[in-house]
Amino acid sequence: MRAPWTLHGSDVRRISDMAGEAVLLAGGGRAILLQLANPGVGHGVAEHSDFVERPLSRLHGTMTYLYAIVFGTPAEVAHVRRVVGRAHRPVHDGRTSSVRYDAFDPELQLWVAATLYDSAVQLFERVHGAIDPAHAEAVYQDYALVGASLQMPRELWPADLASFRRYWDDAVAGLVVDDVTRRVAHELLHPTTGPWWLRLVMPLARLVTAGSLPSSVRDDFGLPWSPSSHRRYDSVMRVTAAVVPRLPPRLRHVLRDTYLRRLRDAMAAEARTPARG
């Protein structure tokens, strides 16, 4: 068993030590499918998102939001909060919906933040080894910022890691995948549009996503899995764990730097655009 992972000789102490790692992108599929498995989130996405036409849009939006919240300036944080608020405003159930949902529901915001935290920590520790228990609690507490910036009341975030584990186990046990959310997941994992490289990497993305999901959720989504799938998944993760920690920081943080640069360019372009009277 590997010793708890260290970053340049010091323990992982804060969310910023972990969140900049580009490898966490590989946990995006897991987080999104777990979100979809909550009917309140899944039906909102199904009725108000554009997965088919823009398969990367939700992932890009989530990564920009996360990097800005953790690493951005106050102005950048305020900007992404406004963008998310505008995107969420129309996301509520209509009279024809079979499931009630509202993007401003604090419980749904808690679940979204919880999936991002759990997916990030699971993947990070699989690649880098366990976070020192002395600091795991601080990293967890930092993640409350992710939900609170979505308008989730800070006190709704479970008080400590033990409380979170109880919340998580109960929430996963209560997830419900139906035909609507199963279809959205299929569109996410089998894109027919988007750049060529997206379709090229999707078999690997499907493997990593399916392998990292709780088995009950994987089965509910109807994702194929077998002993050979498990062996391939373990092999991919072993190679990743052998390679990624040895990469220079500029490569491990390339996605963080790219998304923040794009955000700053977009904000600068918006500032140059005359306001409409």
Side-chain angles (χ1 to χ4, degrees):
M1 180 180 295
R2 283 178 291 171
W5 186 75
T6 58
L7 181 67
H8 301 303
S10 62
D11 297 319
V12 176
R13 297 171 184 267
R14 312 303 307 182
I15 183 177
S16 57
D17 293 339
M18 182 176 72
E21 296 286 313
V23 72
L24 298 189
L25 181 69
R30 177 186 190 266
I32 292 176
L33 260 65
L34 284 165
Q35 293 166 24
L36 293 175
N38 180 311
V41 178
H43 279 250
V45 170
E47 297 188 27
H48 295 273
S49 189
D50 53 359
F51 267 148
V52 178
E53 294 80 11
R54 300 173 61 206
L56 291 174
S57 60
R58 185 176 180 86
L59 184 60
H60 284 330
T62 299
M63 298 305 291
T64 300
Y65 168 79
L66 285 174
Y67 288 135
I69 291 298
V70 177
F71 299 102
T73 66
E76 290 160 0
V77 171
H79 176 83
V80 296
R81 290 190 67 182
R82 286 195 300 272
V83 170
V84 170
R86 286 197 301 267
H88 282 177
R89 198 167 297 124
V91 183
H92 55 82
D93 55 294
R95 285 178 290 183
T96 61
S97 176
S98 60
V99 174
R100 295 189 62 81
Y101 60 86
D102 186 330
F104 291 108
D105 183 333
E107 293 288 346
L108 297 184
Q109 293 170 349
L110 168 61
W111 177 241
V112 169
T115 66
L116 295 173
Y117 165 75
D118 191 79
S119 297
V121 169
Q122 186 208 62
L123 183 62
F124 185 89
E125 293 193 321
R126 183 74 189 250
V127 172
H128 291 289
I131 300 172
D132 183 344
H135 304 302
E137 186 70 41
V139 173
Y140 166 73
Q141 294 296 341
D142 282 351
Y143 252 89
L145 176 67
V146 174
S149 296
L150 288 169
Q151 298 94 37
M152 178 198 80
R154 172 63 179 82
E155 59 271 17
L156 201 58
W157 191 243
D160 52 33
L161 264 173
S163 300
F164 178 84
R165 280 296 136 212
R166 290 191 295 270
Y167 161 78
W168 181 262
D169 291 343
D170 289 345
V172 169
L175 295 175
V176 177
V177 177
D178 57 21
D179 289 342
V180 171
T181 50
R182 198 173 291 112
R183 172 183 57 79
V184 175
H186 181 81
E187 292 171 352
L188 170 68
L189 294 174
H190 299 83
T192 57
T193 60
W196 63 269
W197 58 262
L198 176 63
R199 292 186 289 278
L200 185 65
V201 303
M202 282 314 299
L204 178 60
R206 288 192 290 269
L207 177 69
V208 172
T209 297
S212 59
L213 282 170
S215 58
S216 59
V217 178
R218 181 173 62 229
D219 292 344
D220 287 348
F221 275 114
L223 301 180
W225 198 247
S226 66
S228 64
S229 301
H230 198 131
R231 287 192 296 271
R232 291 198 306 275
Y233 171 72
D234 282 344
S235 295
V236 168
M237 298 312 298
R238 280 195 299 271
V239 170
T240 304
V243 172
V244 168
R246 293 170 171 80
L247 295 176
R250 65 182 178 82
L251 291 180
R252 297 205 318 271
H253 300 156
V254 65
L255 288 180
R256 178 199 66 185
D257 298 340
T258 299
Y259 274 106
L260 287 176
R261 184 172 63 251
R262 289 179 178 176
L263 170 64
R264 290 159 186 164
D265 289 346
M267 291 176 63
E270 184 178 287
R272 292 193 299 267
T273 302
R276 294 183 179 180

